[in-house]
């Protein structure tokens, strides 16, 4: 399971609030119920609901505000919320832990190079170029084409990887 797309500072014209997309790059379903998403603040914890299963090759969006997210992306059906804390526009550490409190993935994004700067308030999201790449490195991310692709393959997906 990888953190595959991040929306941390929407534009004023299109604001689904903050969200994080998870991707299961394996062919097998993975039980992620009781896993946790955290940011830099250890008090900011979003427990993924029990009985949540992420199928192989599938996506799940974790939303700060599910109502705001659904109003902007009505076609997306695989999302859960509300994680209740915002993501920083000036850089942030996101961490995903399994039910045994083992770190599964982490991304410490920023809004300065080598991280794409366009996702900081101008509309695009941060999209991982390919899920096999190291998502801790800014050069492996790009600004989305449009307001992001929650629940679907990233718009900047590199088929050569």
């Amino acid at each position: 399971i990888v953190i595959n797309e991040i929306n941390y500072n929407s534009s004023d014209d299109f604001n689904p609030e903050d969200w994080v997309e998870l991707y299961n790059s394996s062919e097998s379903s993975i039980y992620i119920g009781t896993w946790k998403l955290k940011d830099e603040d250890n008090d900011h914890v979003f427990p993924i609901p029990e009985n949540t299963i992420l199928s192989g090759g599938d996506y799940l969006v974790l939303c700060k505000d599910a109502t705001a997210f659904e109003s902007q992306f009505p076609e997306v059906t695989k999302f859960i919320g509300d994680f209740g804390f915002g993501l920083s526009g000036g850089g942030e550490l996101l961490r995903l832990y399994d039910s045994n409190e083992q770190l599964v993935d982490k991304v410490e994004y920023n809004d300065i190079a080598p991280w794409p700067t366009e996702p900081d308030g101008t509309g695009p999201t941060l999209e991982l170029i390919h899920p096999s790449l190291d998502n801790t490195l800014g050069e492996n991310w790009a600004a989305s084409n449009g307001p992001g692709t929650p629940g679907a393959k990233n718009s900047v997906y590199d088929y050569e990887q």
Side-chain angles (χ1 to χ4, degrees), residues 4 14 20 27 34 72 79:
N4 187 62
F14 187 89
V20 176
E27 295 179 8
T34 70
Q72 297 297 315
F79 66 92

Side-chain angles (χ1 to χ4, degrees), residues 8-105:
Y8 65 87
N9 187 12
S10 300
S11 73
D12 292 338
D13 298 334
F14 187 89
N15 189 1
E17 293 291 342
D18 298 342
W19 52 269
V20 176
E21 180 188 72
L22 306 179
Y23 175 65
N24 180 354
S25 61
S26 79
E27 295 179 8
S28 303
S29 293
I30 299 176
Y31 178 82
I32 62 170
T34 70
W35 286 25
K36 295 177 181 139
L37 176 72
K38 296 182 179 183
D39 68 2
E40 291 178 358
D41 184 336
N42 278 324
D43 293 332
H44 292 171
V45 180
F46 176 66
I48 296 174
E50 287 188 39
N51 302 319
T52 302
I53 297 172
L54 188 52
S55 299
D58 211 355
Y59 304 87
L60 178 66
V61 179
L62 309 179
C63 311
K64 175 185 176 190
D65 181 327
T67 302
F69 178 85
E70 187 174 29
S71 74
Q72 297 297 315
F73 293 106
E75 71 286 356
V76 178
T77 58
K78 295 182 180 175
F79 66 92
I80 53 177
D82 299 324
F83 59 70
F85 52 88
L87 306 179
S88 173
E92 179 79 85
L93 172 64
L94 295 174
R95 301 170 288 165
L96 182 65
Y97 291 91
D98 68 15
S99 55
N100 296 316
E101 298 293 327
Q102 297 297 308
L103 184 65
V104 174
D105 195 20

